[in-house]
Amino acid sequence: GDSVTQMEGPVTLSEEAFLTINCTYTATGYPSLFWYVQYPGEGLQLLLKATKADDKGSNKGFEATYRKETTSFHLEKGSVQVSDSAVYFCALSDQGSQGNLIFGKGTKLSVKP
Amino acid sequence: EAGVTQFPSHSVIEKGQTVTLRCDPISGHDNLYWYRRVMGKEIKFLLHFVKESKQDESGMPNNRFLAERTGGTYSTLKVQPAELEDSGVYFCASSRSGLRGELFFGEGSRLTVL
């Protein structure tokens, strides 16, 4: 079945450091790919998405490119801030689904001043 | 616009008892989803409503779980009788039609079964 694998955390960075969180997927069809973020005390919220190969999703300085050849959707940010501290979830929605999401385990990011 | 709200935020019950979780989706969102995260594991899909109809309940673990969505508005998820392995965080999410995968999540209801 479909699945998402993302790097284990926690990840601790200093402010202004470069961030990469790796995400790879397995899917039989042509999924849409997502990054969701959960800030402390809040629900998950959509950070960015990409719906087809080579699409780049971007939001709040974060970017991820849908790479079909490597089945990857790595999250990057050039300069993290303390306010980026959160748990990040990679997810996919298969073409044939009704929008149901398959999630990775989540990666906790802590950014120190 | 008000977000997805869930109640209670935390529930602690004994094995064998019953618990009912409630979710109020964003107004106008026809799609409502329940997910669950057991500690250390992925967030797993439980079921999906479109208005008041169950579109997909393939993720429901067993018949101890019962979900309803009265009149296509709020939804409840009842666990009866609760078992230890039911402990986890139950998330509700809603979305508009046509936006596959773009879900708005509540903060979750944490269930602890002792």
Side-chain angles (χ1 to χ4, degrees):
Chain A
D2 294 354
S3 66
V4 174
T5 302
Q6 63 181 103
M7 63 186 285
E8 298 280 336
V11 174
T12 303
L13 296 174
S14 297
E15 207 164 22
E16 299 183 4
F18 184 86
L19 168 71
T20 300
I21 301 178
N22 290 336
C23 171
T24 56
Y25 68 90
T26 302
T28 52
Y30 299 91
S32 293
L33 302 174
F34 305 85
W35 278 99
Y36 276 80
V37 58
Q38 185 179 24
Y39 298 103
E42 299 183 14
L44 281 77
Q45 52 187 272
L46 179 64
L47 179 60
L48 53 83
K49 71 170 188 177
T51 58
K52 62 183 187 298
D54 300 325
D55 267 3
K56 178 186 284 188
S58 61
N59 186 24
K60 299 182 180 180
F62 290 89
E63 292 184 340
T65 301
Y66 190 143
R67 301 285 188 201
K68 196 171 189 309
E69 64 275 14
T70 54
T71 61
S72 65
F73 193 55
H74 305 319
L75 182 68
E76 297 182 336
K77 186 173 185 182
S79 176
V80 294
Q81 304 300 313
V82 172
S83 57
D84 294 326
S85 298
V87 181
Y88 292 81
F89 295 90
C90 186
L92 70 81
S93 178
D94 199 90
Q95 193 177 24
S97 77
Q98 296 289 325
N100 307 342
L101 292 168
I102 295 171
F103 285 93
K105 287 189 177 181
T107 303
K108 184 175 182 180
L109 170 67
S110 295
V111 180
K112 307 297 184 187
Chain B
E1 125 186 298
V4 177
T5 56
Q6 293 187 244
F7 182 82
S9 58
H10 192 187
S11 181
V12 181
I13 61 173
E14 302 261 334
K15 175 183 169 181
Q17 289 185 321
T18 297
V19 64
T20 299
L21 310 177
R22 173 170 169 146
C23 169
D24 286 78
I26 293 172
S27 178
H29 283 193
D30 288 340
N31 296 285
L32 187 149
Y33 304 83
W34 283 98
Y35 288 82
R36 176 174 74 170
R37 189 181 193 193
V38 172
M39 191 162 58
K41 301 289 184 68
E42 296 89 343
I43 300 171
K44 292 282 194 183
F45 166 79
L46 296 179
L47 89 159
H48 170 207
F49 285 98
V50 177
K51 297 184 180 178
E52 67 275 11
S53 299
K54 290 176 185 174
Q55 186 74 20
D56 181 354
E57 52 184 330
S58 61
M60 294 288 262
N62 51 60
N63 59 10
R64 295 185 294 102
F65 289 74
L66 175 64
E68 295 180 323
R69 188 178 183 192
T70 306
T73 56
Y74 70 92
S75 175
T76 58
L77 179 64
K78 181 192 290 187
V79 185
Q80 180 183 29
E83 298 289 343
L84 299 179
E85 64 265 24
D86 300 334
S87 295
V89 180
Y90 290 77
F91 292 101
C92 177
S94 69
S95 74
R96 287 190 285 267
S97 298
L99 297 177
R100 183 162 65 100
E102 294 188 34
L103 276 54
F104 292 81
F105 282 81
E107 293 180 24
S109 292
R110 180 176 296 276
L111 173 64
T112 302
V113 183
L114 302 176

